[in-house]
Amino acid sequence: MSMILLERRGPILILTLNNPERYNALGGTLLPDLVDALEAAAADGEVRAIVLTGAGKGFCAGAQFGGDTFDSGGGIGEKMRRSINPLIAKLRSCPKPIVVAMNGAAAGAGVGVALAGDIVIAARSARFILSFVRLGAALDAGTSLLLQRAIGAPRARALSLLGEPLDAERAADWGLIWKCVDDNVLLDEALAAAQRLADGPPVSLGLIKGQLEAAWSADLGAALDGEADAQARAFVTDDLREGAAAFVEKRAPRFVGR
């Protein structure tokens, strides 16, 4: 049985991490099940946007510790290259926009899973906890990069080295997430954002995601070249012609994804 719950709401696919007894820690088959679900969603032409959330009280507690957690010693690096690293890469490279509905705390690698989404909306009760230092561990799941790029080195260093929780409201104020909302409207807010994305032009959204990802490590010249290549792809789509016509005719566009 998959540890990822799937629910379709029209063009929106809701993926729910389903390991609530462990606050959705990345144990059992949860991690590979999520990778499989993302790959299937990327290949499904009917899916236009994805919502990622957690079951129960937590969003994702990071690694699930068990009796053999520390037995691998130096082999943990290779294990990460086969597990958490492909998941973070898959979240970032998925051509479909991903809205993260952070329903509770994200700790350790769970912080990386949350931040790897495109738009993060957090419940007011949610918290980010870089718990690595509390365990004597190093950062993983992309947190060493994602955190600094979002809120700057001084804040990222303090959070990482002190391991202090960051509440959702301050995370929004710092620019780590898109917004913080009351717990009882979290899913509604996430679905509204996902519906807006689902109504948008799929090719354009995929191109923009790719541009933003590539520009993170590019200089201005490379970014400008990438923009020219992406725009050349966008300008031959029916969706761009529809968008231009709708703008002139002062109506809502009807994007079809080609």
Side-chain angles (χ1 to χ4, degrees):
M1 182 178 295
S2 174
M3 296 183 74
I4 303 296
L5 301 179
L6 284 73
E7 179 185 352
R8 287 290 294 269
R9 296 200 184 184
I12 300 169
L13 175 64
I14 303 174
L15 301 178
T16 303
L17 310 180
N18 190 34
N19 188 14
E21 296 81 8
R22 298 292 190 96
Y23 297 96
N24 301 314
L26 300 170
T29 63
L30 190 148
L31 198 153
D33 286 349
L34 180 53
V35 171
D36 289 346
L38 289 168
E39 290 178 344
D44 188 341
E46 299 300 315
V47 174
R48 301 274 288 261
I50 299 167
V51 172
L52 178 63
T53 191
K57 297 181 178 180
F59 173 72
C60 180
Q64 180 170 305
F65 296 110
D68 62 347
T69 299
F70 306 104
D71 291 346
S72 59
I76 189 65
E78 287 307 312
K79 184 176 181 180
M80 287 174 56
R81 290 184 176 95
R82 298 192 304 268
S83 56
I84 187 64
N85 290 5
L87 171 60
I88 300 302
K90 187 70 64 177
L91 287 165
R92 299 297 291 185
S93 64
C94 181
K96 311 293 175 71
I98 299 173
V99 178
V100 174
M102 196 171 147
N103 57 298
V111 174
V113 172
L115 297 184
D118 297 304
I119 297 174
V120 184
I121 302 174
R124 204 166 300 280
S125 64
R127 298 183 300 164
F128 293 86
I129 310 168
L130 289 168
S131 52
F132 304 101
V133 72
R134 301 182 183 183
L135 301 168
L139 301 175
D140 63 23
T143 52
S144 62
L145 179 109
L146 296 170
L147 205 69
Q148 290 195 82
R149 292 288 176 88
I151 61 176
R155 285 170 170 165
R157 285 177 180 272
L159 288 173
S160 301
L161 296 173
L162 296 174
E164 293 185 357
L166 177 68
D167 64 72
E169 191 164 357
R170 180 169 292 185
D173 290 342
W174 284 4
L176 185 63
I177 62 175
W178 175 237
K179 65 168 67 173
C180 167
V181 300
D182 290 337
D183 289 43
N184 63 327
V185 298
L186 173 65
L187 188 57
D188 290 339
E189 290 276 353
L191 288 171
Q195 187 62 58
R196 183 172 176 180
L197 292 165
D199 291 338
V203 176
S204 172
L205 290 169
L207 289 171
I208 290 171
K209 283 194 59 170
Q211 286 178 285
L212 293 173
E213 191 66 17
W216 271 37
S217 57
D219 59 24
L220 180 58
L224 290 171
D225 283 340
E227 289 174 356
D229 291 340
Q231 204 68 292
R233 293 174 60 189
F235 263 65
V236 297
T237 63
D238 292 339
D239 278 349
L240 188 136
R241 283 184 279 274
E242 164 62 12
F247 178 81
V248 171
E249 297 166 10
K250 296 181 172 56
R251 59 174 175 80
R254 296 180 293 274
F255 296 119
V256 296
R258 61 177 184 272

